[in-house]
């Protein structure tokens, strides 16, 4: 497996000042949200992989704006899988291709600016701004 590449859409932001954390998974971040220790995420950027759910696009926003869940399955037993998730916040036309047909797509994302949000029926979830996203083949 490798990263799909096109010159217009690289998986790296054009600029980022600071360190990108590589050692955290969606499951790690979701556990922090459940335990109330998500403050440790502040001021950091992350590179994570997961499966992108169908985005919800804000049709009334003046700039292309959407949110979507990024999910990771975790085996609890030999016959049971639990889903962990974070929420991704997209803003800008550069994300248009991912917001039209992204359901079930495996992606790698660079994210920052975490905030804790309450999602009805799910609970507290960490929501991140998307800096860059790329499909994984």
């Amino acid at each position: 497996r490798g990263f799909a590449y096109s010159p217009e859409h690289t998986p790296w932001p054009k600029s980022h000042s600071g360190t990108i954390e590589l050692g955290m998974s969606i499951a790690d971040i979701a556990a922090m949200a459940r335990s109330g220790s998500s403050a440790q995420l502040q001021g950091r950027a992350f590179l994570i992989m997961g499966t992108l759910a169908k985005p919800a696009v804000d049709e009334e926003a003046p700039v292309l704006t959407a949110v979507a869940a990024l999910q990771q399955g975790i085996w609890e037993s030999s016959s049971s899988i639990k889903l962990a998730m974070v929420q991704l916040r997209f803003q800008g036309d550069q994300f248009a291709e991912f917001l039209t047909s992204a359901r079930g797509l495996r992606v790698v994302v660079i994210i920052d600016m975490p905030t804790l949000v309450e999602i009805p029926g799910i609970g507290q979830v960490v929501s991140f701004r998307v800096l860059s996203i790329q499909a994984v083949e």
Side-chain angles (χ1 to χ4, degrees):
R1 290 187 180 237
F3 295 110
Y5 173 79
S6 71
E8 310 84 57
H9 300 284
T10 63
W12 318 116
K14 295 197 184 328
S15 79
H16 174 74
S17 176
T19 301
I20 296 177
E21 174 70 48
L22 304 175
M24 302 221 26
S25 68
I26 294 169
D28 297 331
I29 294 167
M32 292 175 111
R34 283 191 309 275
S35 70
S37 60
S38 61
Q40 299 171 21
L41 303 172
Q42 296 301 317
R44 296 162 63 189
F46 302 87
L47 184 141
I48 57 175
M49 289 181 65
T51 302
L52 193 63
K54 182 179 178 181
V57 178
D58 181 351
E59 302 291 342
E60 297 186 17
V63 175
L64 181 61
T65 303
V67 295
L70 186 65
Q71 303 170 331
Q72 172 187 9
I74 304 156
W75 286 99
E76 290 190 313
S77 69
S78 62
S79 61
S80 177
I81 296 177
K82 177 181 173 183
L83 283 181
M85 68 170 278
V86 296
Q87 182 184 71
L88 301 180
R89 300 183 312 266
F90 296 89
Q91 189 166 22
D93 291 335
Q94 69 271 30
F95 300 117
E97 73 178 274
F98 288 97
L99 301 178
T100 55
S101 61
R103 182 182 202 144
L105 187 65
R106 291 280 300 159
V107 296
V108 60
V109 293
I110 298 175
I111 53 180
D112 73 352
M113 296 183 67
T115 58
L116 206 52
V117 297
E118 183 75 26
I119 298 179
I122 295 175
Q124 290 198 326
V125 173
V126 181
S127 179
F128 290 94
R129 175 181 68 164
V130 176
L131 296 174
S132 184
I133 185 168
Q134 184 67 42
V136 178
E137 293 181 346

